[in-house]
């Protein structure tokens, strides 16, 4: 878990070092998220920006828009799926709220847990997506799931840092507009990069050669 906490803090430190760029990207993310249907692609844009920023010295807002344009169709599909998943989950919770039996208590945990697991897996999957030569979101989801299953305590550490960031952003709503999404994206990139380095699939302290993107076998994570 300590490794996850450290990776999360490195993500926040990286956000601070690139704060000017991230704040501008976060403003665009906040506006696009208001439309809901473009929210996943907007977050993918932040992930793409963070992906490049973590590995190359030269990065600009163009990287955000490249990520957004590359994923807007996929993002719309994910937005629809996510809205349906959320609606079904809360519909079930409301419908069975009067039930107090142990079986229904277990079902509530299963429904909420499944929804959270789906959203968290998506969160990491975007980083893997931009790290593939021939990106497929199904493959990215698989890689993210493998990482989480093989590193449960590390993932828990990352989630703790995310919870703190989201809590602060909720108490101070302006933080969502300025750094909330960008902070989440930077932490995701830092987390995945840490696991890739730990597995020997990425150089310890060096960017990819010529900014290239590799497609390692994530089954080795």
């Amino acid at each position: 878990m300590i490794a996850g906490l450290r990776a999360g803090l490195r993500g926040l430190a990286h956000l601070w070092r690139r704060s000017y760029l991230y704040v501008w990207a976060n403003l665009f993310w906040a506006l696009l998220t208001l439309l809901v249907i473009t929210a996943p692609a907007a977050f993918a844009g932040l992930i793409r920006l963070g992906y490049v920023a973590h590995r190359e010295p030269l990065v600009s807002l163009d990287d955000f828009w490249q990520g957004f344009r590359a994923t807007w169709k996929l993002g719309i599909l994910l937005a629809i799926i996510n809205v349906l998943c959320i609606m079904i989950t809360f519909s079930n919770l409301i419908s069975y709220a009067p039930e107090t039996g142990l079986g229904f208590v277990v079902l509530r945990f299963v429904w909420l847990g499944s929804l959270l697991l789906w959203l968290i897996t998506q969160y990491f999957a975007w980083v893997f997506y931009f790290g593939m030569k021939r990106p497929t979101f199904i493959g990215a989801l698989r890689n993210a799931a493998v990482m989480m299953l093989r590193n449960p305590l590390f993932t828990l550490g990352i989630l703790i840092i995310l919870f703190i960031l989201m809590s602060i952003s909720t108490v101070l709503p302006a933080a969502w507009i300025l750094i909330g999404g960008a902070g989440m994206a930077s932490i995701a990139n830092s987390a995945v990069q840490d696991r890739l380095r730990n597995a020997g699939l990425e150089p310890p302290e060096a960017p990819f050669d010529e900014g290239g993107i590799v497609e390692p076998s994530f089954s080795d994570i």
Side-chain angles (χ1 to χ4, degrees), residues 152-172:
L153 293 179
F154 177 89
T155 303
L156 178 60
I158 293 295
L159 294 180
I160 290 172
I161 298 296
L162 279 175
F163 178 78
I164 294 172
L165 173 65
M166 295 170 70
S167 298
I168 294 173
S169 298
T170 301
V171 173
L172 304 171

Side-chain angles (χ1 to χ4, degrees), residues 53-138:
H54 273 77
R55 292 164 172 81
E56 300 180 20
L58 298 179
V59 60
S60 70
L61 278 176
D62 286 342
D63 293 294
F64 169 83
W65 292 114
Q66 286 175 16
F68 179 81
R69 288 193 297 269
T71 61
W72 70 271
K73 290 182 181 179
L74 172 61
I76 289 175
L77 176 60
L78 282 175
I80 294 171
I81 293 173
N82 289 340
V83 168
L84 287 175
C85 288
I86 292 170
M87 289 176 61
I88 291 171
T89 299
F90 282 93
S91 175
N92 288 338
L93 291 174
I94 293 171
S95 297
Y96 292 95
E99 304 294 342
T100 57
L102 178 61
F104 290 101
V105 172
V106 172
L107 275 177
R108 292 186 189 104
F109 276 106
V110 170
W111 290 330
L112 282 173
S114 298
L115 177 62
L116 287 174
L117 183 61
W118 165 242
L119 296 176
I120 293 168
T121 305
Q122 280 184 65
Y123 169 71
F124 291 115
W126 283 117
V127 184
F128 287 102
Y129 182 85
F130 289 114
M132 299 169 118
K133 289 181 179 178
R134 295 174 295 279
T136 65
F137 201 67
I138 296 296

Side-chain angles (χ1 to χ4, degrees), residues 36 77 80 106 167 173 176 189 194 196 210 215:
V36 179
L77 176 60
I80 294 171
V106 172
S167 298
W176 277 121
N189 273 288
D194 182 274
L196 292 180
E210 300 178 357
E215 186 180 9

